[in-house]
């Protein structure tokens, strides 16, 4: 019988893979993919708790706001990545180490 | 109930396998397309958790919006010739250590805690309920998020536009 724990374990795996991507990748776009994995795992947690431990829709509302924030975050982050690429000709997060032009 | 379990396990397997491909693939383009399957799997999990509207939103915004943006960014900033170099992992040993540590802590918390399994949401159409809540209980967050989206839109446009202008003046001088 699939219960709450199964979904929590799934989201724990997804979260730690996302943290691994953020920690180990050098490419800024790849780091952004890791952040998306982390946000997805948090949303799964919200929805799973909303389904199994309450009878309210609060968790699903939180997940909707998480999705909206993820969209805003990825738009701004990709704009920054593109402008870093125009400036440095690379999107390696280690190479782009100055704020000035 | 048996088929429910099987479907959940299939979606979970899709999510874990494609997320692992995102994490460990050497090729950034493969990572981007594996992310597509992760998002599809998460949408399936939402359906199994009685969140049908959320699954549709996940498909529309993540797959239709964010993933397309990410793939655009990969194609625009990425020299395909040095795929291997530009997506190499930095410090994979330390990263694996962090991965195992975080997973151990999370799994310990999950299995030690006695979750209070009170009510269960029944499977129903949630769209009308969510619309109702958005305009009543969650009206203020809804308005704040709409202002935030506008700010993000303008911010992204300003960031990209300034750089183009700077490059043009740099080219002239």
């Amino acid at each position: 019988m699939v219960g709450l724990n199964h979904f929590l374990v799934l989201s724990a795996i997804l979260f730690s893979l996302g943290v691994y991507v953020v920690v180990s990748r050098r490419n800024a776009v790849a780091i952004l993919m890791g952040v998306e994995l982390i946000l997805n795992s948090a949303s799964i947690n919200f929805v799973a708790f909303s389904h199994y431990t309450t009878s309210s829709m609060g968790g699903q509302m939180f997940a909707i706001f998480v999705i909206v924030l993820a969209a805003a975050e990825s738009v701004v982050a990709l704009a920054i990545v593109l402008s870093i690429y125009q400036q440095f000709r690379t999107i390696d997060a280690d190479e782009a180490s100055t704020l000035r032009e | 109930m048996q088929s429910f379990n099987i479907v959940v396990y299939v979606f979970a397997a899709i999510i874990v396998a494609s997320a692992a491909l995102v994490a460990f693939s050497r090729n950034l383009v493969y990572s981007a397309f594996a992310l597509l399957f992760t998002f599809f799997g998460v949408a399936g999990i939402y359906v199994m958790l009685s969140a049908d509207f959320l699954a549709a939103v996940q498909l529309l915004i993540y797959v239709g919006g964010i993933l397309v943006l990410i793939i655009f960014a990969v194609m625009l900033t990425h020299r395909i010739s040095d795929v291997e170099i530009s997506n190499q992992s930095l410090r994979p040993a330390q990263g694996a250590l962090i991965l195992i540590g975080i997973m151990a802590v999370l799994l310990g918390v999950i299995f030690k805690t006695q979750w209070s399994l009170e009510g269960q949401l029944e499977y129903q159409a949630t769209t009308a309920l969510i619309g109702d809540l958005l305009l009543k209980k969650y009206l203020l967050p809804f308005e704040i998020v709409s202002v935030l989206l506008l700010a993000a839109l303008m911010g992204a446009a300003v960031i990209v536009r300034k750089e183009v202008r700077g490059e043009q003046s740099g080219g002239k001088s």
Side-chain angles (χ1 to χ4, degrees), chain A residues 59-82:
Chain A
Q60 295 193 22
M61 302 304 296
F62 259 96
I64 286 178
F65 287 118
V66 167
I67 289 176
V68 173
L69 290 182
E73 167 258 337
S74 77
V75 166
V76 174
L78 288 174
I80 292 173
V81 165
L82 283 184

Side-chain angles (χ1 to χ4, degrees), chain A residues 24-25 40 43 51-52 87, chain B residues 23 25 39 46 50 90 119 163:
Chain A
S24 70
R25 281 294 161 88
N40 262 297
S43 302
H51 181 76
Y52 281 105
Q87 197 66 46
Chain B
S25 166
F39 290 157
Y46 285 160
S50 69
L90 186 72
E163 285 306 318

Side-chain angles (χ1 to χ4, degrees), chain A residues 47-99:
Chain A
V47 179
F49 277 117
S50 164
H51 181 76
Y52 281 105
T53 69
T54 69
S55 43
S56 77
M57 303 277 296
Q60 295 193 22
M61 302 304 296
F62 259 96
I64 286 178
F65 287 118
V66 167
I67 289 176
V68 173
L69 290 182
E73 167 258 337
S74 77
V75 166
V76 174
L78 288 174
I80 292 173
V81 165
L82 283 184
S83 88
I84 285 176
Y85 182 72
Q86 286 171 354
Q87 197 66 46
F88 294 97
R89 289 285 137 199
T90 178
I91 48 170
D92 193 323
D94 288 344
E95 302 280 326
S97 54
T98 59
L99 282 174

Side-chain angles (χ1 to χ4, degrees), chain B residues 8-20 34 36-42:
Chain B
V8 168
Y9 280 124
V10 166
F11 279 130
I14 290 174
I15 291 176
V16 171
S18 57
L36 172 73
F37 289 96
T38 311
F39 290 157
F40 268 120
V42 173

Side-chain angles (χ1 to χ4, degrees), chain B residues 65-78:
Chain B
I66 295 177
L67 195 66
V68 170
L69 269 182
I70 286 178
I71 291 176
F72 259 115
V74 168
M75 299 295 177
L76 283 176
T77 58
H78 196 245

